[in-house]
Amino acid sequence: MTTKKKRIGILTAGGDCPGLNAAIRGIGKTAIVEHGMEVIGFVSGYTGLIHKEYVKLNEEQLSGILTLGGTILGTSREKPFKISQEDGNINKPELIKQNYDELGLDCLICIGGNGTMKTAWKIGELGINVIGIPKTIDNDVYGTEFTFGFDSAVAIATDAMDRLHTTANSHQRAMVIEVMGHDAGWIALHAGMAGGGDIILIPEIGYNSKAICKKIEKRFEDKKAYSIVVVAEGIKVPKNYSAAGYIAKCITKNTGIETRETRLGYIQRGGSPTHTDRILATRYGAYAAEMIAQERYGEMVAIEGNKLKTIPLSEVSGKLKLVTLDNPLVVKCKNMGVSFGD
Ligand code: F6P
């Protein structure tokens, strides 16, 4: 008896990050070389799945993309289960199921962050075989220790902080650097430790501007020439202010110390992945292909203690992984005199 050659679809959804192409390559090469599967990639995330826009991925398309930033498939923030006026009578979930069946797919791999995992779970509920792979620079996907993209973003933020140290020192200034992270402060925490931040402000820990200013004044009194403050974009600030803008303004106003702000923005999401992200994305991708070979569906690939594992998408859906006060990095930083503004 001959078994039918499996046909799988891949999509990348949500904000991009370094490592997406490494993951696509990891899935594709394992699926094709090891298991003789056929692979297609949907264009622009869930948009391509709804409109049946896809490209065939063979070994040729998967070559030379390991180090490439962004995603060769494109991405979008399309949420097919959200009903909007503009969609008229289009039933997106119905189209997704129809396209999946018409294309003769055996599984759909959704690479993305929290929103993507929630949608992947809902797609699974339509009777589609689905697997999730967690990516985001924010590292806030529930159920895994690390998402790929995070290490690259932390490396970029750390490099930026290293550069701020020298200019801050020359001018004896306070420098406020804003990194991404609307809900979770993982980038700020890790870059804050790696880049020697004096104050780290994250959305999970409420800050007191008086405590921040006191800490900065004390440093200057102690003949520390300058101070570095790293803030996550999602900390609470008054309307119309950026996180860095508000904190810089508070410091100047209350201490009289010259302060400058830097907002790193999308630089954190661009460019080539670090070797750590290349490896993680490749391992996630290859593992997902193995799961398809074993016909294990409805789960997200995850990592814990450097060991790959899976977690049901139903458990991941709708949750966030946030920094907690007892996080070892928070504790270590605090023990070394780093302030969290609390
Ligand atoms: O990828 C996650 C993230 O980078 C957030 O930290 C950031 O605020 C958000 O995406 C912004 O992305 P976009 O402008 O593409 O929606």
Side-chain angles (χ1 to χ4, degrees):
M1 192 186 82
T2 52
T3 47
K4 180 190 157 273
K5 205 175 182 180
K6 283 196 166 60
R7 189 159 204 243
I8 67 169
I10 307 172
L11 61 82
T12 53
D16 75 339
C17 75
L20 284 167
N21 292 321
I24 295 168
R25 177 179 171 273
I27 301 166
K29 288 208 171 191
T30 311
I32 297 166
V33 179
E34 165 120 24
H35 299 290
M37 297 176 191
E38 249 184 80
V39 185
I40 64 166
F42 289 99
V43 176
S44 300
Y46 290 116
T47 307
L49 184 61
I50 294 162
H51 300 291
K52 217 182 179 181
E53 285 167 9
Y54 64 95
V55 288
K56 200 166 179 315
L57 296 175
N58 50 35
E59 279 190 84
E60 199 186 321
Q61 280 83 43
L62 299 168
S63 271
I65 63 168
L66 174 64
T67 62
L68 215 64
T71 160
I72 57 163
L73 295 175
T75 185
S76 70
R77 295 220 182 254
E78 168 66 45
K79 289 187 173 71
F81 291 88
K82 206 169 164 192
I83 296 160
S84 93
Q85 296 282 331
E86 293 146 38
D87 295 333
N89 290 328
I90 307 176
N91 185 332
K92 292 178 180 175
E94 208 172 275
L95 281 177
I96 287 175
K97 176 78 173 108
Q98 191 182 314
N99 292 339
Y100 178 86
D101 290 340
E102 279 177 11
L103 287 166
L105 292 178
D106 294 288
C107 181
L108 174 71
I109 301 183
C110 303
I111 311 175
N114 289 301
T116 305
M117 292 309 130
K118 192 170 180 180
T119 302
W121 170 66
K122 288 184 180 172
I123 285 179
E125 296 291 285
L126 299 174
I128 287 174
N129 294 330
V130 66
I131 291 175
I133 296 185
K135 72 95 190 67
T136 162
I137 64 163
D138 294 339
N139 199 35
D140 59 356
V141 176
Y142 183 84
T144 188
E145 225 173 301
F146 293 106
T147 55
F148 70 80
F150 173 61
D151 187 72
S152 304
V154 171
I156 294 162
T158 304
D159 177 61
M161 286 179 72
D162 291 351
R163 290 166 194 279
L164 289 177
H165 274 276
T166 61
T167 174
N169 190 23
S170 307
H171 291 267
Q172 311 218 324
R173 282 173 173 160
M175 287 288 186
V176 183
I177 175 168
E178 180 181 306
V179 296
M180 278 186 170
H182 266 305
D183 305 298
W186 294 107
I187 299 177
L189 175 61
H190 282 243
M193 183 180 247
D198 304 300
I199 298 173
I200 300 171
L201 304 179
I202 60 175
E204 296 92 332
I205 303 178
Y207 67 89
N208 175 334
S209 37
K210 279 197 187 118
I212 297 169
C213 295
K214 223 168 116 188
K215 167 86 180 165
I216 300 235
E217 277 173 332
K218 175 86 172 61
R219 284 182 53 80
F220 277 87
E221 277 161 32
D222 292 346
K223 305 279 175 279
K224 308 258 173 66
Y226 64 96
S227 295
I228 304 282
V229 185
V230 51
V231 305
E233 65 181 335
I235 61 163
K236 274 208 174 67
V237 292
K239 229 174 139 193
N240 298 331
Y241 277 102
S242 68
Y246 180 68
I247 298 299
K249 192 180 165 210
C250 280
I251 297 170
T252 318
K253 197 173 144 215
N254 297 313
T255 68
I257 291 164
E258 207 177 19
T259 307
R260 294 286 188 269
E261 68 189 76
T262 301
R263 298 179 70 197
L264 270 192
Y266 292 89
I267 286 168
Q268 292 161 94
R269 271 183 17 192
S272 190
T274 58
H275 73 277
T276 303
D277 274 340
R278 291 178 202 184
I279 293 169
L280 182 61
T282 303
R283 287 177 75 193
Y284 276 166
Y287 198 80
E290 293 299 339
M291 286 166 69
I292 296 172
Q294 293 165 23
E295 303 187 347
R296 283 167 54 201
Y297 306 119
E299 307 207 304
M300 183 186 84
V301 185
I303 198 159
E304 195 182 328
N306 204 26
K307 274 209 166 68
L308 293 176
K309 60 171 204 174
T310 59
I311 173 165
L313 281 164
S314 56
E315 263 183 56
V316 175
S317 178
K319 293 188 194 130
L320 269 181
K321 185 188 68 186
L322 299 176
V323 177
T324 52
L325 272 174
D326 62 352
N327 179 286
L329 261 57
V330 173
V331 175
K332 278 281 168 295
C333 283
K334 283 195 167 186
N335 290 347
M336 293 168 69
V338 174
S339 163
F340 284 79
D342 53 344

